[in-house]
């Protein structure tokens, strides 16, 4: 099998490539990635002799066509992925997440290639605190930010291409990932690298917002379960019952790094900040028999802290510019 992985130099895409090389030696991997500020070719250096890398844009129809015609499967991770950025400049989100997905769908339609679409739980909007409700595949779409609106748009394009053109596609909507190779703009790596740099961690608003954390390897094993055994046209929600409020996570990071757990700052909140996400992954578990491997958040977080401690050369070039951007926003 020959798979084209878009966004394979980003956080989840690079981990997907590592996972695939490690567990499926018979799969040939080609990566298409534009190497935006969020992409890092060094994330692929441990597997560089096993992967073909093409630098390019998923919105480039000719390039996409040339790559898609030679593969059996496209796994689409490439995106503009950071909510805070989408609040300041939504256009790259519309271009990459909507138009880029359109170009991939047209190419897989022309060439009859199987397609898996990687999306987010944020398409469902947010939930109340302390509510037993969780997102299911039946939850209505209700995105809050420009980022989540463009992801929702791309999901709807996939559904239409399945129904109208018979494209062989599946969709997954996953909760918040953590693990190695995540850009330091994101919550967990930002706080870990802040502590390593002697900067106090930054908590948006009151910190009562809840995210449903899953280790990136568990996300990627679920994506492979869907590719292997998922039903065409279906949506699968991916989550590992990892609900935590942000305040608890920041205090745990401080504790695990040997700091005083209250040694953080409250900073400006994110406009329109979603309150709570929570996934019911029952369909994935019962229909496809998937189970997460990282069931203790504390252990997964400890391993992630160790990774950032040992890989400063990977994250250091991102750090100054990221903190300067947050500084302007008072965050
Ligand atoms: P990321 O920002 O770390 O990586 C995105 C990658 O896409 C980068 O390598 C970037 O260079 C590349 N890219 C951006 N625009 C491109 C373009 N026009 N053409 C080609 N490549 C381009 O993102 P991530 O956190 O790894 O997220 C990957 C996917 O998973 C996204 O679709 C995101 O919506 C989804 N997702 C993320 C999470 C999460 O917690 N991070 C959770 C659920 C779903
Ligand atoms: O739910 C899946 C989504 O998770 C993905 O679709 C997105 O691509 C991914 O970025 C993530 O979105 P969030 O907005 O939830 O992630 P972020 O890491 O930006 O923030 C997580 C929470 O932490 C959120 O409630 C905001 C808060 N936060 C974030 C930062 C960067 C802070 O309190 N302080 C911070 O410094």
């Amino acid at each position: 099998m020959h798979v084209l992985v878009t966004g394979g130099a980003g956080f989840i895409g690079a981990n997907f490539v590592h996972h695939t090389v490690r567990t499926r030696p018979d799969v040939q991997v080609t990566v298409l990635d534009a190497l935006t500020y969020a992409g890092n070719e060094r994330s692929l250096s441990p597997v560089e002799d096993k992967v073909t890398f093409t630098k390019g844009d998923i919105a480039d129809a000719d390039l996409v066509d040339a790559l898609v015609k030679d593969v059996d499967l496209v796994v689409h991770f490439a995106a503009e992925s950071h909510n805070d950025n989408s609040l300041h400049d939504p256009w790259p989100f519309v271009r990459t997440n909507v138009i880029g997905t359109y170009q991939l769908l047209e190419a897989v339609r022309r060439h009859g290639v199987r397609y898996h679409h990687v999306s987010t739980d944020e398409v469902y909007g947010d939930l109340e605190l302390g509510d037993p409700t969780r997102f299911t595949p039946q939850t209505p779409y209700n995105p809050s930010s420009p980022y989540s609106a463009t992801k929702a748009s791309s999901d709807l394009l996939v559904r239409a291409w399945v129904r109208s053109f018979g494209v062989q596609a599946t969709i997954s909507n996953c909760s918040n990932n953590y693990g190695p190779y995540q850009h330091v703009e994101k919550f967990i790596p930002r706080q870990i690298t802040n502590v390593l740099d002697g900067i106090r961690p930054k908590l948006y608003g009151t910190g009562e917002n809840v995210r449903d954390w899953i280790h990136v390897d568990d996300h990627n094993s679920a994506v492979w379960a869907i590719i292997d055994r998922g039903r065409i046209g279906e949506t699968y929600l991916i989550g590992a019952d990892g609900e935590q409020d942000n305040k608890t996570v920041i205090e745990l990071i401080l504790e695990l790094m040997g700091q005083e757990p209250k040694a953080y700052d409250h900073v400006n909140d994110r406009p329109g900040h979603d309150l709570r996400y929570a996934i019911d992954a029952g369909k994935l578990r019962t229909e496809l028999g998937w189970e997460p491997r990282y069931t203790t958040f504390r252990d997964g977080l400890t391993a992630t802290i160790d990774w950032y401690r040992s890989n400063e050369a990977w994250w250091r070039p991102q750090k100054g510019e990221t903190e300067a951007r947050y500084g302007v926003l008072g965050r």
Side-chain angles (χ1 to χ4, degrees):
M1 182 198 275
H2 187 178
V3 55
L4 178 66
V5 180
T6 72
F11 164 45
I12 307 174
N15 278 286
F16 180 83
V17 171
H18 287 246
H19 183 101
T20 302
V21 167
R22 198 167 60 238
T23 59
R24 300 182 180 235
D26 49 325
V27 174
Q28 185 186 342
V29 179
T30 296
V31 168
L32 170 60
D33 195 296
L35 296 181
T36 68
Y37 80 96
N40 191 340
E41 223 179 327
R42 293 173 66 176
S43 304
L44 294 173
S45 38
V47 291
E48 66 191 350
D49 53 334
K50 306 225 166 50
V51 170
T52 306
F53 182 82
T54 300
K55 181 177 176 197
D57 188 341
I58 56 164
D60 177 341
D62 293 340
L63 174 63
V64 164
D65 189 80
L67 291 169
V68 168
K69 76 175 173 21
D70 290 334
V71 300
D72 308 294
L73 165 70
V74 173
V75 186
H76 177 34
F77 291 95
E80 286 293 336
S81 70
H82 194 38
N83 275 299
D84 287 328
N85 294 344
S86 81
L87 296 164
H88 298 280
D89 185 9
W91 167 239
F93 290 74
V94 175
R95 186 179 178 283
T96 288
N97 301 358
V98 183
I99 299 172
T101 298
Y102 162 80
Q103 296 299 1
L104 287 163
L105 286 170
E106 283 293 83
V108 295
R109 168 155 89 109
R110 273 193 298 274
H111 299 292
V113 169
R114 170 88 166 84
Y115 174 88
H116 181 72
H117 185 72
V118 177
S119 192
T120 169
D121 59 355
E122 295 192 14
V123 299
Y124 300 114
D126 60 355
L127 301 163
E128 294 300 325
L129 297 178
D131 181 340
T133 308
R134 298 191 292 170
F135 299 135
T136 73
Q138 285 71 46
T139 305
Y141 273 35
N142 186 28
S144 312
S145 73
Y147 161 68
S148 49
T150 58
K151 291 299 292 187
S153 308
S154 70
D155 294 9
L156 297 182
L157 292 181
V158 179
R159 290 183 183 192
W161 262 241
V162 169
R163 175 154 173 167
S164 302
F165 305 128
V167 161
Q168 299 288 294
T170 40
I171 299 176
S172 53
N173 296 84
C174 187
S175 59
N176 284 64
N177 286 219
Y178 71 98
Y181 299 107
Q182 186 169 32
H183 194 282
V184 299
E185 70 187 353
K186 301 297 194 316
F187 179 53
I188 288 178
R190 184 182 184 204
Q191 314 315 332
I192 295 170
T193 54
N194 274 358
V195 174
L196 292 174
D197 271 357
I199 304 171
R200 284 165 70 92
K202 309 293 180 205
L203 188 63
Y204 290 0
T206 59
E208 64 187 338
N209 308 66
V210 171
R211 296 295 182 264
D212 190 351
W213 293 100
I214 181 171
H215 193 278
V216 65
D217 278 347
D218 286 331
H219 181 178
N220 285 326
S221 70
V223 168
W224 268 115
I226 297 164
I227 294 165
D228 288 339
R229 304 187 290 285
R231 286 179 293 137
I232 296 302
E234 291 292 311
T235 288
Y236 295 87
L237 269 55
I238 306 175
D241 301 329
E243 280 189 70
Q244 300 278 353
D245 66 53
N246 294 339
K247 185 167 169 294
T248 303
V249 174
I250 230 166
E251 290 178 3
L252 183 57
I253 290 170
L254 281 158
E255 181 209 315
L256 292 172
M257 297 184 76
Q259 307 288 309
E260 155 57 38
K262 300 285 177 202
Y264 59 86
D265 295 331
H266 288 273
V267 293
N268 290 343
D269 207 350
R270 172 186 286 172
H273 195 173
D274 278 341
L275 201 47
R276 171 175 163 253
Y277 307 138
I279 291 272
D280 176 348
K283 177 174 170 181
L284 180 70
R285 288 176 185 261
T286 49
E287 193 178 305
L288 305 187
W290 172 86
E291 293 288 339
R293 205 163 58 86
Y294 289 84
T295 48
T296 311
F297 182 59
R298 193 185 177 91
D299 294 348
L301 195 56
T302 302
T304 304
I305 291 168
D306 288 347
W307 190 87
Y308 281 90
R309 268 194 212 286
S310 309
N311 288 278
E312 181 176 346
W314 181 87
W315 58 264
R316 176 58 64 198
Q318 312 163 359
K319 186 67 181 169
E321 199 185 312
T322 302
E323 287 308 311
R325 258 198 331 260
Y326 279 125
V328 171
L329 301 172
R331 279 183 226 145

